[in-house]
Amino acid sequence: MRRVVLGAIMRTAVIVAATLLVYFLIPVDGFNEENPAAAWVRLMLVAVAFLGAMTFQVRTVTGAEAPLVRAAEGIVQIVVMFLSLFALLYVSMATADPLAFSEPLNRIDGLYFTSTILATVGFGDITPVTDLARAVVTVQMIAGLGVLVMVGRVFLFAARRPRPQT
């Protein structure tokens, strides 16, 4: 069991590091209020990427040697991906329209802002200003609550399913 937990910690560290590396390196050419469809297209791409990763994670939980450990690993990885994808969206929006938020957003600001939204902290130091920014933040607030509940339920259900005997 110790080997399984150590493997889960190592995999999670590598995947979180890789996710953040991609987040910090991927270009963020923006879009603007004159073309709001671009924001919604990116939001749909975020959703597809997230659902694909979640599907992969659920499949690995159901076949894992220690499904509860794998479920915990998957939850951490999915939440980090969710935060990174929305942060990337916010940074892209802020790059295209510096007035979209109450202050300019760099990548650290994007992660910080999206984390405060997911945690429902709402410090108020960064706020969406434009209608487009407010709409995307609203989507993240609703999706974030749903994701936390869904991820927890799906992974724990998958982890508790009896595995076929080999």
Side-chain angles (χ1 to χ4, degrees), residues 40-41 50 61-62 76 82 87 95 121 136 139-140 162:
W40 297 111
V41 167
F50 179 76
V61 169
T62 57
V76 170
F82 181 82
T95 300
V121 175
V136 174
V139 168
Q140 188 207 339

Side-chain angles (χ1 to χ4, degrees), residues 97-165:
D97 181 4
L99 301 177
F101 296 92
S102 57
E103 62 182 66
L105 297 183
N106 61 31
R107 292 184 194 243
I108 296 293
D109 295 331
L111 277 175
Y112 163 78
F113 178 63
T114 196
S115 297
T116 62
I117 292 169
L118 183 68
T120 68
V121 175
F123 289 123
D125 52 344
I126 301 173
T127 57
V129 175
T130 64
D131 288 343
L132 179 60
R134 288 179 176 156
V136 174
V137 168
T138 301
V139 168
Q140 188 207 339
M141 286 188 282
I142 294 166
L145 293 173
V147 161
L148 290 176
V149 170
M150 180 181 67
V151 164
R153 290 185 68 123
V154 167
F155 281 124
L156 291 176
F157 173 77
R160 289 189 176 136
R161 270 184 65 194
R163 292 190 337 223
Q165 300 297 321

Side-chain angles (χ1 to χ4, degrees), residues 75-87:
I75 290 170
V76 170
Q77 293 169 7
I78 288 296
V79 169
V80 169
M81 183 179 184
F82 181 82
L83 291 172
S84 297
L85 290 170
F86 267 99

Side-chain angles (χ1 to χ4, degrees), residues 13-97:
V14 168
I15 290 172
V16 167
T19 301
L20 292 175
L21 183 66
V22 168
Y23 170 74
F24 281 103
L25 294 178
I26 197 166
V28 288
D29 58 330
F31 46 85
N32 55 40
E33 291 243 358
E34 287 121 31
N35 187 10
W40 297 111
V41 167
R42 284 190 183 193
L43 188 57
M44 290 301 112
L45 291 174
V46 164
V48 167
F50 179 76
L51 290 174
M54 179 128 170
T55 301
F56 172 77
Q57 291 287 355
V58 168
R59 287 181 187 212
T60 61
V61 169
T62 57
E65 179 183 332
L68 285 174
V69 173
R70 187 64 185 93
E73 178 184 349
I75 290 170
V76 170
Q77 293 169 7
I78 288 296
V79 169
V80 169
M81 183 179 184
F82 181 82
L83 291 172
S84 297
L85 290 170
F86 267 99
L88 193 60
L89 188 60
Y90 294 140
V91 172
S92 181
M93 291 171 68
T95 300
D97 181 4

